[in-house]
Amino acid sequence: PRSAPPLAFVAALGRGASSELAAAVKAEIEGALVERNRIRVVEREQLDTILKEKNLSRSSEFDRATALTLGKLLAARVVIFSSLMTEATATTVSIRAVDTSTGVLMAEETRDWRRRGGWPEAGRVAVRKAAAALENKIVGTLAADARR
């Protein structure tokens, strides 16, 4: 029998961009992963329940340690961090997957888009391509680990 897809928690680190853009990128990553159905994404209701139980604030931005702790509490195998760097002519999105049991970086993807194309047109395409490539790396890494 085929095992369930791994569970992931997506956290926006929110450095270098507006909180609105960071939230939009996070939502785009989650949407891309849900559509492809190879990684399950923690539902907002699950997150809200844990945050309430642990008396943590509801924010789309978490630091790395808090996100890893939340990932473990949610029984997520992977925490996916997104961060943005906005410059005069381009924006760069970096997406990293970290194993919650070890804290080890599993995979990383970076994409740029020109400010002229802007969000959502060019930015959404760049984020979705990065999310798909990251997902392929995560699934490949977990499959290799399972064979060991």
Side-chain angles (χ1 to χ4, degrees):
R2 195 171 158 204
S3 62
L7 183 64
F9 168 59
V10 180
L13 296 181
R15 283 183 245 132
S18 71
S19 59
E20 293 84 12
L21 181 58
V25 167
K26 179 182 180 289
E28 204 64 39
I29 293 166
E30 290 172 338
L33 295 174
V34 167
E35 283 176 11
R36 291 170 55 93
N37 200 30
R38 293 171 63 204
I39 294 177
R40 295 176 299 135
V41 176
V42 170
E43 295 178 13
R44 292 186 193 281
E45 294 78 26
Q46 289 175 288
L47 177 59
D48 287 339
T49 299
I50 293 291
L51 290 173
K52 190 174 183 179
E53 288 175 4
K54 300 298 177 186
N55 293 320
L56 297 170
S57 66
R58 176 72 162 104
S59 170
S60 63
E61 298 177 13
F62 298 102
D63 65 24
R64 179 183 164 99
T66 302
L68 282 172
T69 299
L70 282 172
K72 288 178 187 177
L73 290 170
L74 292 162
R77 174 70 194 272
V78 179
V79 174
I80 298 171
F81 295 98
S82 65
S83 61
L84 298 165
M85 179 58 67
T86 302
E87 297 177 357
T89 60
T91 299
T92 301
V93 62
S94 176
I95 309 173
R96 293 169 310 289
V98 177
D99 186 314
T100 57
S101 63
T102 64
V104 172
L105 180 69
M106 297 173 71
E108 182 174 17
E109 281 295 320
T110 302
R111 295 289 191 285
D112 301 315
W113 70 87
R114 296 260 175 234
R115 298 230 3 170
R116 174 176 272 166
W119 187 268
E121 297 84 13
R124 290 179 81 181
V125 170
V127 170
R128 285 188 166 265
K129 284 183 178 181
L134 186 82
E135 178 190 54
N136 288 336
K137 289 178 180 180
I138 293 168
V139 171
T141 299
L142 294 176
D145 288 350
R147 288 191 296 268
R148 291 184 195 157

